[in-house]
Every structure is written in C-alpha cells, then in structure tokens.
Amino acid sequence: MDQDTPIHVGYSACPHDCPSTCALEVEVLNQYRIGKVRGARENSYTSGVVCAKVARYAERTHHPDRLTFPMRRTGEKGLGEFKPISWESALDEVANAFVTASQRHGPETVWPHYYAGTMGLLQRDGINRLRHVMKYSGQHSTICVTLVGAGWNAAVGAFRGPDPREMAESDLIVSWGGNPASTQVNVMTHVQKARKNRNAKFVVVDPYRTRTAQVADMHLALMPGTDGALACAVMHVLFRDGHANRDYMAKFADCPSRLEEHLKSRSPQWAAGITGLDESEIEDFAKLYGETKRTYIRVGYGFSRSRNGAVNTHAVACLPTITGAWVHPGGGAFYSNKDIYHWDKTLIEGLDAHDPSIRMLDQCRIGPILTGNKTDLGDGPPVTAMLVQNTNPAVVAPESAKVREGLLRKDLFFCVHEQFMTDTATYADILLPATTFLEHNDIYQAGGHQHITIGPRLIEPVGQSRSNHEVICGLAERLGAQHRGFTMTEWEIIDETLKESGWSGADALKESRWIDCQPSFEEAHFLGGFAFQDGKFRFAPNWSEQGPDHSELPTLPDHVELIESADDTHPFRLVTAPAHNYLNTSFTETTTSIKKESRPTVKLCGADVERLHLKDGRKVRVGNKRGEIIVHVEVASGQQSGVAVIESVWPNHAFENGLGVNTLIGADAGPPNGGGVFHDSAVWIKNA
C-alpha cells in the first residue's frame, strides 16, 4: 500500500474459546487482507490488551494452507488425499448421504457435531437449527465447562458474580484452577491494577508452575484433583480462628452450623496428607484469606477437567460466603456471567422445532459412540452420518485411539467444514472450506466479563470459503428443512435475536461496538440473596438438580476420591493444560506458534527425573491402559513428585506414533452431568 494511504480500522471480537472474548481493533488493508490486530482501547475490560496469538491473526487468516475450495476424498480415510469439486456437488453429496442414512436407519443416525472453534452465537449454534428441524441426534456438549458449571450452580444458583473489573479494587486475588496469563490475558490486566494501586496480593492455586504462577505472591502447587481438600482446610481455619462472618451466614447461607461441625475434622494437617502441600502453606493461605476483606476468587476451567471437579468448585465457592466477602467491592468469587444476557436463541437454534424425545449423544464420548457402545446409543441406531463444524474431535476428544477407530469406519459418511487440514479433516468424505471470524457476521457474549460485542464481516472470504450459516442453509434447502431461519441473512438473524432478547438491534450495536450488560452491584454480589427461592447460598447442595449421576457426591464440601488415582503401575497423575501459544487446536498450524512451542514435552520435577534415570530432553514413553505416546522430558520446578504435565493440544502428527495426548484420557463422564476429564489420568513413564 502507498505509505500515505490511511489504514482503515475495523472492529470485532475474538471468536475463540476464551472467557476474555476480547474486543478488537483490526487493521483492514484492503477488502481481502488484514494487518495488525489489537485489543480495543476503549473497552473497559479489554483495555487495549490482546493475547499474542490473536495479535498475529493475519498469519492465520492469510496462511498458505487455508482450505479454499470444496473437496472429495480420493484416498483412504485419514491420509488427507482429496480432489477439488464444486460447492453444488459437495452440498448435493452431503445432503444425499444424510437422506440415504436416514432412510435406512431413521434420522437419529445423523449426528451434527460441533463446539467452540468460534464462540459466535450464530455461526457456532446455528447447526442446531438443522438438527432440530430434521430430528437428528442431539449433542450433550460436555467437553469444556460442564463439571465446573454444575459445582458453581449448585452453590450459587446462577451464572453471574462480581464485576470482573472489580479485581482492580481487591486486596487479595486468588486465581484458582486457571492460568490467565496464557488463557485469559485480560484478567492479568486487572490483577496488575490492583497490585499497583492497592498493593494487592496475588495467589495462584495450580498443580504446576504456570506463567501465572511465576508472577504470584504465593503459589500453592497441590496434587491434581485435591482442590476440595484445600478449600475445606481453609474453611476449617476460618471457623477456628474467628474469621467466619456468622451474621452474614445467618442471613445468606443454608446451614452454617452444620458445616462448621463437619469441617472440624478437615484440618490443614488432614488436607496436607491429600494435597501434598505443607501444613504451613495451608495455614498461611487461610490466614491471608481470612484477614483480608476484599478477596476475589477467580474460578478457572481447570476444575472442569477432573472427575470430582463439580465438588471441588462447590467447595471453593463456599469460601467468600463464610467470610462474607461478597458484600465488599472487589470481593466474592466469579466463574461466568453467561446468565446476564437473557438470550432468546429460538431463531438461531430452531428451538421452536426441538423435540426433547430425540436422543442426546455425549460429545466427549464420540469414541465409544462411533465404535458402537450400546450404553451410549441406547435403543437408537448407530451413527452413520456426521457433519462437523468448529471442532477437531480426532485430537481434542478423549480416548483418541478409539475416536480414530470410529472415524475409519467405512459405513460412516463424514463431512467436515474447516479452515485447515486438521487431523479430523483428513477422515472426511467431503471437506468444505470455512471462513474465519473476519469473513462473516456474528455476535458474541463474554463469559469472563460483561459485554455483548458485534463482529461484522471485515474482509471478503478467502478463496471459496463459506460461513457455517451458509453451509447450514445450503444443506437445509437440499434436505427440504423448513424454518424461516434458513431463508434469512446472518445480519437479519443477529438483529432479530438481539431485539427478541431485549437489546438494541444489530445496526445500533455496530455503531456502539458493544453493550455493557453488567448487573448492579447489589445483584452481582447477591446482596438481595442468592439465586434460590429462599435466597440462601447452598453449603449443602442438591446435586440431583445438576444432573442424574449424583449418588457419589457428598452432602457438604469435601474431598471425594472420584479421581483416577495413581498406583504402583501408574505412579503419575497427568495434567494436560493448555499450551501458551495454542488455543485448543487453533494456532497449531501457524509458524510462529509452532516455533515458540517447539515440541510436545512432559514436565517432571527434578526428583522424578533423577529417580527414573532420565535427562532433560530425553525421549520417554507415557502410557496407561488406553495407549501410549512418546514425548521429550522437560525438567520443571514448582510441581510435586508424581505430577506429569503435558501442555497441549498438539496435533496427533506431532507425536511419533501419530496419536496425541488425549489417547491417555478416559471418556467416562464426570458426575453429576458429564464432562471431559483431561487433567484426571494416571500414567506410567518409561525411558524410550
């Protein structure tokens, strides 16, 4: 471009699966190309900050390996051999395959499968409109936050909490079960404000020394899956040492006396034996928490990766109720604001066509489902036809070996709509090129703050890429699916959804760029009572309200041995936390991210490396009954003996035997309502 030509700045929101949902300023160089991407400076939460991954989004948008035209598979499944075809032919073949499968087995044989490759409400969730109208199998979306959501909801009753910007007014911020320096960068912005302006302390509870833990005042490196024990011991000290706000609990909690009696045996000494922490560490943390009024607990998604995650989340949520921290600015606990938006998604998802009798298939159990597990399939037919959007199950789903076995079935018709040749895409019969968020219209809600943000199309689609909405509508036309959403434009659906949900329309939102939906201080801090009929916080949760599998869950906060415990054969507990430069399997194709991450490694403490007669950089095999993988050793500090950490999610082809880390993860559902248990696996480690 001529150096005197002004660069146009377009406004959008990051679409990726991150609670920050950053408001963006995007340099639009021309109708086909973007330049730099920055956080929106005028947005009070984003505050001009964006993660390095998204800052270099031009590298991803204009990557030479973008899929740019529809293709039909020519070789064996999994080899990635395709030839170009027209869009008309591609959609015809997909529709014909769905019709043929439905005629043979009934419509439940078709399973539209999706998740959060984009968090835009229209482009992510519009696939459900086709599902509901055609009576295809439903999806129980369990892979991310089901467990932590159940625990939070059991305690509080609603998904809202103190304004995340209030962290800047806190005197103690606790990041528990999260690594915001890598996965919610804007949290760190507000932490730094509190440290600078109020000399606030910052505590991180995490099994290993993450980038966030490295800058903490206190890092509690507990054993994976033992958060409930730590929380109970802290509560024990709060009652024991006079830090419990009994007047607050009398008004706002269900059974404080019963809880106090229960916790008498949950001492720091008891918790030390479970968590692996020193008793003094637990005492110091409890003292700091009890003596600080303005305490803000940021509940992370790490809770949702363990079989006892719901119980652990509930226990942590109890802490500010014991001290009454909810009443203070910068006090309380926060998980998600998803309830504050009051969406009417009837038009987007076709909820007016939803039949609740249609079977639901658990997203995390795609491996067992595709290999014919009768418990999953019930009385219904096998899955013989699929459409995949916004996810990469060959890599991200548990029990990767079983997923691959299912995807190799010759009787499974498999259509993938993607931006890159992912591992999942290599198994496709028909492969369709997808737009990025810069090439279509959408609308976004934040989980980690309080804004609705519009994301208008800023550049033309790359190659022949089409949006999810266009593909769904194209299939609907061929399948004879009747719903007015299939005949509307993206902008029309966004506009009507906003208005039906009580917000201003799409044009007004484009002008204002975002809507700040933060509830009042009183509502956000539950000063009028918690979100149950009696207004009481639940120390004694009713787990049956959260899901059907609740028989093993405790009646009061506790440590529950639901986890896959280490034993003599499998002496290590494995954590598969997110890598700093990847976001699930997004950015694993960009040169800069790959270079910065280098290769898959297993982090082990020095004592374990010495005991196993290993050296830094040496190859090892990591395995269990589900399979094994080969990685290099990385000696790490700040984690306990018996903890192994493999940061992910690397593509399967990054591993020597062609299967990734989720080969080692079980697909069994965490109680009470399912959930992927990616930090809850016992493994052995041997010299390779």
Side-chain angles (χ1 to χ4, degrees):
M1 295 182 67
D2 188 288
Q3 62 180 0
D4 296 326
T5 302
I7 296 175
H8 169 65
V9 176
Y11 302 106
S12 189
C14 177
H16 289 287
D17 190 7
C18 165
S20 287
T21 320
C22 295
L24 302 179
E25 298 172 357
V26 182
E27 291 183 352
V28 181
L29 305 183
N30 56 46
Q31 67 184 104
Y32 300 105
R33 296 193 69 85
I34 66 162
K36 297 178 181 178
V37 178
R38 295 180 289 268
R41 288 160 288 190
E42 296 175 12
N43 184 281
S44 58
Y45 185 77
T46 301
S47 295
V49 176
V50 70
C51 72
K53 300 182 284 287
V54 173
R56 53 179 183 262
Y57 213 85
E59 182 181 11
R60 188 169 195 274
T61 302
H62 305 300
H63 197 290
D65 293 341
R66 277 282 301 272
L67 300 178
T68 57
F69 44 79
M71 293 184 281
R72 179 191 296 120
R73 181 172 56 81
T74 58
E76 295 296 317
K77 288 188 175 186
L79 297 181
E81 297 174 355
F82 295 88
K83 69 176 183 181
I85 57 174
S86 70
W87 264 106
E88 294 303 307
S89 295
L91 293 177
D92 285 347
E93 288 194 32
V94 177
N96 289 338
F98 284 8
V99 169
T100 300
S102 296
Q103 288 173 341
R104 182 177 180 184
H105 297 289
E108 286 186 339
T109 196
V110 181
W111 189 23
H113 191 85
Y114 77 108
Y115 201 56
T118 176
M119 294 290 280
L121 301 188
L122 172 60
Q123 306 293 352
R124 181 190 64 193
D125 301 332
I127 193 172
N128 289 322
R129 190 182 333 115
L130 184 68
R131 181 197 314 279
H132 294 148
V133 171
M134 296 302 297
K135 311 304 180 187
Y136 295 152
S137 281
Q139 177 178 290
H140 184 26
S141 296
T142 57
I143 202 165
C144 191
V145 297
T146 309
L147 282 155
V148 66
W152 178 270
N153 204 39
V156 176
F159 295 105
R160 66 175 190 269
D163 189 333
R165 294 168 296 196
E166 284 185 30
M167 284 185 288
E169 303 177 50
S170 301
D171 295 321
L172 171 62
I173 301 169
V174 182
S175 173
W176 201 322
N179 178 18
S182 294
T183 62
Q184 295 186 55
V185 64
N186 303 98
V187 169
M188 301 306 293
T189 300
H190 299 282
V191 169
Q192 288 304 106
K193 289 178 181 178
R195 297 177 101 172
K196 179 180 179 180
N197 298 330
R198 301 185 62 83
N199 197 30
K201 299 298 182 184
F202 183 45
V203 175
V204 172
V205 184
D206 199 289
Y208 79 111
R209 196 166 185 259
T210 64
R211 288 177 181 245
T212 308
Q214 290 172 23
V215 300
D217 297 294
M218 179 186 295
H219 173 210
L220 298 168
L222 75 179
M223 291 297 291
T226 64
D227 307 79
L230 175 58
C232 285
V234 173
M235 288 187 272
H236 170 99
V237 174
L238 295 177
F239 278 110
R240 184 197 71 193
D241 293 353
H243 300 305
N245 188 330
R246 299 182 186 280
D247 290 339
Y248 178 86
M249 287 189 287
K251 182 177 180 180
F252 289 107
D254 59 345
C255 56
S257 298
R258 184 179 165 202
L259 175 66
E260 183 176 9
E261 182 64 28
H262 165 74
L263 292 170
K264 285 181 178 179
S265 61
R266 272 65 174 176
S267 66
Q269 182 181 17
W270 166 83
I274 297 170
T275 63
L277 297 170
D278 291 339
E279 187 176 345
S280 60
E281 290 182 276
I282 300 172
E283 290 278 5
D284 289 345
F285 175 47
K287 183 175 187 292
L288 177 63
Y289 188 86
E291 292 181 351
T292 309
K293 299 300 182 186
R294 295 189 177 199
T295 61
Y296 195 109
I297 299 177
R298 187 73 182 223
V299 175
Y301 290 0
F303 288 102
S304 214
R305 312 293 183 245
S306 182
R307 288 169 179 81
N308 60 1
V311 174
N312 293 341
T313 304
H314 170 263
V316 171
C318 292
L319 291 172
T321 307
I322 290 176
T323 64
W326 297 102
V327 305
H328 301 291
F334 180 83
Y335 158 58
S336 171
N337 255 338
K338 73 175 186 178
D339 279 354
I340 71 174
Y341 305 106
H342 45 79
W343 291 114
D344 181 344
K345 293 170 69 178
T346 301
L347 183 57
I348 290 176
E349 297 198 42
L351 297 178
D352 46 354
H354 178 225
D355 181 351
S357 69
I358 301 294
R359 73 175 176 186
M360 297 284 286
L361 300 177
D362 188 331
Q363 170 189 34
C364 278
R365 293 188 55 77
I366 182 174
I369 288 167
L370 292 185
T371 53
N373 186 290
K374 293 297 184 182
T375 301
D376 293 291
L377 295 172
D379 296 329
V383 171
T384 63
M386 292 183 67
L387 167 66
V388 173
Q389 290 183 325
N390 311 326
T391 189
N392 185 8
V395 179
V396 303
E399 298 186 13
S400 297
K402 193 165 286 187
V403 175
R404 180 167 69 176
E405 179 186 346
L407 293 177
L408 285 170
R409 280 174 37 210
K410 295 186 182 300
D411 66 330
L412 174 68
F413 176 82
F414 197 55
C415 175
V416 178
H417 187 201
E418 250 299 354
Q419 298 161 354
F420 291 89
M421 185 65 73
T422 63
D423 288 84
T424 301
T426 65
Y427 294 92
D429 295 292
I430 297 293
L431 181 56
L432 307 174
T435 49
T436 68
F437 77 105
L438 300 160
E439 302 154 46
H440 57 235
N441 298 303
D442 216 335
I443 187 171
Y444 306 88
Q445 70 172 49
H449 54 97
Q450 55 284 101
H451 291 92
I452 294 172
T453 312
I454 196 80
R457 188 171 81 174
L458 298 181
I459 59 173
E460 293 297 313
V462 171
Q464 298 179 34
S465 301
R466 292 188 184 181
S467 71
N468 292 352
H469 177 68
E470 291 175 292
V471 168
I472 293 301
C473 292
L475 290 175
E477 180 181 6
R478 288 162 173 80
L479 292 165
Q482 298 295 314
H483 192 282
R484 65 191 188 91
F486 295 132
T487 65
M488 298 172 68
T489 67
E490 295 169 350
W491 202 255
E492 288 170 339
I493 293 179
I494 292 168
D495 183 66
E496 184 170 327
T497 298
L498 280 164
K499 291 174 179 176
E500 289 297 316
S501 304
W503 305 108
S504 57
D507 291 337
L509 181 53
K510 184 179 179 181
E511 181 68 24
S512 65
R513 297 170 56 188
W514 51 71
I515 303 170
D516 187 337
C517 307
Q518 179 61 38
S520 68
F521 182 91
E522 290 73 16
E523 184 179 0
H525 287 254
F526 302 99
L527 299 189
F530 290 87
F532 297 103
Q533 189 172 0
D534 61 1
K536 302 282 190 178
F537 182 94
R538 295 290 189 258
F539 288 140
N542 183 351
W543 290 114
S544 67
E545 296 176 347
Q546 308 305 320
D549 181 19
H550 54 81
S551 61
E552 295 184 77
L553 304 185
T555 55
L556 288 167
D558 216 336
H559 171 70
V560 183
E561 285 287 348
L562 295 172
I563 57 177
E564 189 169 289
S565 299
D567 55 30
D568 291 341
T569 305
H570 307 89
F572 288 90
R573 292 269 292 141
L574 176 64
V575 171
T576 63
H580 183 72
N581 288 284
Y582 297 152
L583 206 168
N584 301 322
T585 60
S586 295
F587 303 98
T588 59
E589 68 286 327
T590 55
T591 302
T592 303
S593 288
I594 295 170
K595 182 179 179 180
K596 287 179 177 293
E597 292 299 330
S598 181
R599 64 189 181 189
T601 65
V602 57
K603 297 178 187 287
L604 299 173
C605 74
D608 286 336
V609 171
E610 183 177 351
R611 178 173 55 82
L612 293 173
H613 306 292
L614 302 174
K615 292 182 179 179
D616 191 64
R618 178 172 290 181
K619 288 182 183 179
V620 292
R621 292 184 294 132
V622 183
N624 57 22
K625 62 184 179 182
R626 302 177 188 101
E628 64 179 67
I629 62 175
I630 298 174
V631 293
H632 292 79
V633 170
E634 179 182 346
V635 180
S637 61
Q639 66 191 60
Q640 295 187 39
S641 176
V643 174
V645 179
I646 300 178
E647 292 185 331
S648 54
V649 183
W650 285 87
N652 291 338
H653 61 72
F655 297 82
E656 286 192 16
N657 55 352
L659 280 175
V661 68
N662 286 328
T663 301
L664 309 175
I665 306 303
D668 47 312
N673 197 32
V677 293
F678 297 100
H679 300 175
D680 192 353
S681 181
V683 297
W684 48 256
I685 298 176
K686 300 177 182 178
N687 196 324

